[in-house]
Amino acid sequence: MEWIVLVMIAAIKMGTPLLFGTLGGVISERGGVINLGMEGLMLVGALTAFVVDLNLNSKFAAMVFAAMAAGLVTTIHAIVCISLRANQIASGLALALFGGGLSGLFGDSLVGKTVESLNNLPIPGLSAIPAIGPIFFNQDIMVYFSYFCVVLIWFILFKTTLGLNIRSMGEAPDVCDALGLSVFRYRYGCVIVGGMLIGIGGAYFPLVLTSFWVDNLTAGRGWIAVALVIFAFWHPFKALLGAYLFGAAIALQLRVQTMGIAIPSYFLEMFPYILTIVVLTMVTIRNNKRGVSVMPAALGLAFFRGEKH
Amino acid sequence: MIYLTLEKRLHFSPVTRISVSLIAIAVAILVGGIFLFAVGVNPFHAYGLVIEQIFMDYWGWQDLLVKIIPFLLTGIAVALAAQMKLWNIGAEGQLYLGAVAATWVALNWGNELSIWMMIPIMILSAMVSGACWAFIPGFLKAQFGVNEIITTLLLNYVAISWVDYLLYGPWRDPGSNNFPVTREFPDSAQLPAFGNTSIHFGLIIGLMVIFLVYFILEKTEVGFKVKVIGDNIYAAKYSGFNIKWITLAIVMISGALAGIAGMAEVAGVHYRLKQNFSINYGYTGIIVAWLGRNHPIAIIFTAFFLAVVFVSGELMQLEFSLPIAMIYLFEGIILFSVLGSEIFTEYKIKIKNVVT
């Protein structure tokens, strides 16, 4: 029984960068812009956080700078896709390459250094609940921040006019334009805020999970987050569920690896990726059966005033 | 107030398109120079070295013509799928699987068969292996409409883990001092080179594949159907094309072509399977295809351009000990720049002076 709690604690930790990434993707895609470059943005966030923590010795500053750096890099994606109306998928791939290259280039001299990892901060009272307490309420402050983000994003998207406008940008930008809303401003906002969250997700790697920097630190987790956005039906609560499910898969994989079961670790490493493909297939089949599409209707399309796509 | 507005071009010319692309590449080289400067390398010195040691050098040209080979093949693989508006981001994994199959053939039959038998069998097995790997995303896409961008990409990680398993486990050369490499291929399993250069026969294979794809797309019924599906899927459905089968077939052929790239690298350059033998060659195929607008003949030129980027990157690695990530950064900059420029092939900027 106890090992399940241990795995679940690890699942939340492993799932947190995925959660931030997925939330960032949800915001961006609700506004109508796909961000395939999550892997690159996470790496930019991770390196920035590591460098800032190394020099300023402040986790908070590390997180803020990671968000700003990722936000800045996403702005290129926003300019190319929104103002210059280029293909969002190709631009996302460029972002993945660019971010990976940028972090690899500037992180090259930092390999081998370490930072202290963020302490757990038990919430008084709640952390004493059996099982649930240690799993959810004896975590670090970035995990609590991710809970807060889930609720905040849900509230903004579904309970405010701002959220209604954002969702409309992803469904029918031409109608929004006719109503006098600036498609450019909303979409830029969504892409950049989304990118900042993805950057925070990246920051979680050096600040909590690894404490060091290596080239390609995120090892494909950014791409899993891209799939999770679809899995979560572009909804923050389901994003939480999906992120922890995959966090559990990664935690289990690591657990089995340390238990010394005679499966070569290379096969265990495949597990989260194969699971993503299986789950994505099931979600797609279920969607086909229902015959409804929850995907934002204008997702991936550039907006031209007065022109049909 | 002065406004910048976009106005649709009435005349569309290939000259505009090519000149806009060239300007975009010039911008990318400029921005790349800024990053070189940021890591303490004088960009003028660096670019000077590229001209001197690559373009004005016998060995430099030899390196370019070796490096272009995987890009021709992964480029055409991605472009073929893109003709149907399918994204094959999985060329990297298909390339690895192609190399695995070719390696298996080389290590098991290499001593028994002559080179005339071995090379065709290795190519065929690499194609089958790449195609089978691409079958997974192809089938999921054709049957259920599962997003192929994500499935093809995630399978790359699975393929690389698989190769790592082989190299650290059953296939490791006992005499390699624990390096993750296989035994060297026997002579009959090595792609011959031209004269005493290092340019191997893969160059001919790559060009042949490109012309074959060009011929199929332009001159056959299947090619016509592929293009119709890419242009207008509703028209294709209405005409009764079997979209499922064509989708599956094209994704699998795309995987087969990427598989050949893997075979050409292990049999033509390294003569063994080793870890990280592909430096993002599969992903680079996406850039090659995009820059060439998925046109087979244009891909020959864009593959050459990416070969220049890679050989330059390796030169920077040697001269200034910059990491390989420099190449990925450059690729990202080039793709951003070219994407951002595309709007100017269809629109021109007008300066409007509005009196308020």
Side-chain angles (χ1 to χ4, degrees):
Chain A
M1 212 31 219
E2 195 176 338
W3 73 273
I4 295 180
V5 174
L6 285 176
V7 166
M8 281 311 293
I9 293 172
I12 304 288
K13 288 236 185 288
M14 293 296 160
T16 298
L18 296 176
L19 178 56
F20 278 118
T22 312
L23 288 175
V26 167
I27 295 179
S28 184
E29 297 196 8
R30 280 287 182 178
V33 181
I34 305 172
N35 192 340
L36 273 191
M38 281 199 210
E39 181 74 6
L41 286 176
M42 277 196 177
L43 283 167
V44 169
L47 180 69
T48 313
F50 185 69
V51 171
V52 172
D53 196 18
L54 208 58
N55 290 305
L56 299 181
N57 206 8
S58 157
K59 306 286 176 196
F60 180 71
M63 214 174 96
V64 171
F65 276 97
M68 284 184 356
L72 195 70
V73 174
T74 337
T75 310
I76 309 172
H77 181 59
I79 293 171
V80 170
C81 295
I82 304 168
S83 294
L84 298 171
R85 300 164 192 177
N87 184 298
Q88 295 177 4
I89 292 171
S91 176
L93 292 171
L95 188 62
L97 281 167
F98 182 83
L102 198 65
S103 63
L105 183 64
F106 289 100
D108 197 38
S109 57
L110 298 167
V111 176
K113 294 183 175 154
T114 51
V115 293
E116 257 177 64
S117 89
L118 196 56
N119 290 327
N120 281 351
L121 193 80
I123 296 182
L126 288 175
S127 61
I129 306 171
I132 293 181
I135 294 171
F136 292 102
F137 301 111
N138 185 16
Q139 293 281 5
D140 55 81
I141 194 141
M142 285 180 82
V143 172
Y144 302 141
F145 180 60
S146 72
Y147 300 159
F148 172 72
C149 286
V150 170
V151 177
L152 183 71
I153 291 165
W154 168 79
F155 183 79
I156 291 176
L157 278 180
F158 297 101
K159 299 290 165 198
T160 66
T161 319
L162 174 69
L164 181 66
N165 291 346
I166 290 173
R167 286 184 291 136
S168 309
M169 291 299 159
E171 298 290 345
D174 36 355
V175 176
C176 295
D177 187 53
L179 287 171
L181 299 170
S182 167
V183 178
F184 283 84
R185 251 181 240 170
Y186 273 95
R187 285 198 165 172
Y188 263 95
C190 289
V191 173
I192 293 170
V193 171
M196 291 168 86
L197 278 173
I198 298 164
I200 294 174
Y204 198 76
F205 283 89
L207 296 185
V208 180
L209 295 179
T210 62
S211 309
F212 57 80
W213 168 261
V214 285
D215 197 18
N216 211 2
L217 181 66
T218 54
R221 304 280 166 80
W223 292 104
I224 293 184
V226 172
L228 277 177
V229 178
I230 301 174
F231 174 78
F233 295 106
W234 295 267
H235 195 291
F237 287 149
K238 288 175 187 158
L240 182 102
L241 202 74
Y244 292 158
L245 178 72
F246 279 84
I250 296 165
L252 262 179
Q253 171 221 319
L254 296 174
R255 172 119 193 134
V256 171
Q257 225 161 314
T258 50
M259 278 178 356
I261 292 174
I263 306 171
S265 62
Y266 309 100
F267 293 117
L268 293 172
E269 276 163 20
M270 297 174 186
F271 177 57
Y273 305 108
I274 295 174
L275 182 71
T276 312
I277 294 171
V278 171
V279 168
L280 188 66
T281 306
M282 289 181 343
V283 167
T284 311
I285 292 172
R286 206 179 66 165
N287 262 12
N288 292 348
K289 274 196 187 140
R290 281 186 181 169
V292 284
S293 174
V294 270
M295 187 176 95
L299 186 62
L301 302 172
F303 173 69
F304 289 75
R305 179 177 283 166
E307 275 178 37
K308 281 279 170 198
H309 301 301
Chain B
M1 280 285 280
I2 292 170
Y3 288 98
L4 289 175
T5 57
L6 292 169
E7 195 178 84
K8 201 148 197 164
R9 286 181 198 271
L10 296 174
H11 302 287
F12 182 78
S13 78
V15 179
T16 319
R17 186 167 248 192
I18 290 170
S19 47
V20 167
S21 294
L22 288 178
I23 293 170
I25 286 167
V27 170
I29 291 171
L30 197 78
V31 176
I34 296 171
F35 279 103
L36 281 174
F37 183 74
V39 288
V41 174
N42 179 348
F44 295 103
H45 179 52
Y47 290 147
L49 276 178
V50 168
I51 292 174
E52 193 183 309
Q53 298 202 9
I54 298 173
F55 286 112
M56 293 167 65
D57 185 87
Y58 174 75
W59 302 105
W61 276 93
Q62 201 167 297
D63 284 348
L64 289 177
L65 292 179
V66 174
K67 208 49 128 186
I68 195 179
I69 297 165
F71 300 156
L72 289 173
L73 287 159
T74 56
I76 195 70
V78 174
L80 178 64
Q83 292 278 351
M84 278 183 62
K85 298 245 158 62
L86 293 170
W87 289 87
N88 181 5
I89 320 282
E92 188 81 7
Q94 294 143 14
L95 179 149
Y96 268 97
L97 266 284
V100 164
T103 303
W104 188 85
V105 172
L107 294 180
N108 284 288
W109 299 346
N111 293 322
E112 289 150 40
L113 298 172
S114 73
I115 191 162
W116 300 102
M117 293 288 288
M118 277 305 288
I119 299 298
I121 294 176
M122 282 168 76
I123 293 174
L124 262 178
S125 58
M127 288 177 76
V128 171
S129 173
C132 287
W133 197 242
F135 170 82
I136 304 167
F139 173 75
L140 293 178
K141 174 74 180 181
Q143 188 64 29
F144 307 116
V146 180
N147 186 324
E148 82 284 5
I149 301 171
I150 297 170
T151 50
T152 50
L153 188 118
L154 291 172
L155 283 171
N156 291 342
Y157 288 93
V158 179
I160 290 169
S161 288
W162 173 236
V163 171
D164 281 349
Y165 162 71
L166 291 173
L167 289 177
Y168 282 100
W171 284 13
R172 176 148 63 185
D173 176 13
S176 71
N177 290 326
N178 282 334
F179 278 111
V181 295
T182 62
R183 274 185 292 127
E184 196 180 49
F185 293 178
D187 288 344
S188 65
Q190 299 186 358
L191 271 175
F194 295 101
N196 47 14
T197 68
S198 57
I199 304 163
H200 58 89
F201 196 69
L203 187 61
I204 305 291
I205 302 173
L207 290 171
M208 270 166 42
V209 165
I210 286 197
F211 285 110
L212 193 68
V213 171
Y214 177 69
F215 176 79
I216 292 172
L217 281 175
E218 297 298 323
K219 306 284 176 205
T220 66
E221 196 191 322
V222 179
F224 175 72
K225 284 185 175 173
V226 166
K227 284 181 162 186
V228 171
I229 295 172
D231 277 344
N232 188 337
I233 192 146
Y234 300 105
K237 274 184 186 156
Y238 189 71
S239 313
F241 293 177
N242 196 332
I243 294 172
K244 275 186 187 176
W245 278 108
I246 299 178
T247 301
L248 183 59
I250 290 296
V251 174
M252 286 179 75
I253 294 171
S254 175
L257 300 184
I260 305 177
M263 178 273 172
E265 278 304 293
V266 291
V269 179
H270 306 292
Y271 305 130
R272 50 164 49 106
L273 183 63
K274 59 183 211 179
Q275 213 181 12
N276 300 331
F277 75 90
S278 160
I279 317 160
N280 270 6
Y281 294 156
Y283 297 106
T284 304
I286 303 165
I287 303 178
V288 170
W290 189 275
L291 293 188
R293 305 291 195 291
N294 302 323
H295 189 287
I297 306 303
I299 280 170
I300 299 173
F301 296 95
T302 55
F304 179 75
F305 173 61
L306 265 300
V308 173
V309 173
F310 267 69
V311 176
S312 309
E314 285 171 355
L315 183 68
M316 302 287 127
Q317 221 180 341
L318 278 177
E319 290 281 335
F320 310 108
S321 52
L322 293 179
I324 201 86
M326 187 74 212
I327 296 178
Y328 308 150
L329 181 68
F330 253 88
E331 286 187 307
I333 295 170
I334 291 164
L335 192 51
F336 267 138
S337 179
V338 169
L339 281 167
S341 75
E342 275 173 2
I343 192 166
F344 302 112
T345 60
E346 281 179 56
Y347 294 82
K348 51 188 170 189
I349 304 177
K350 272 257 165 163
I351 300 168
K352 271 190 189 164
N353 200 347
V354 181
V355 183
T356 46

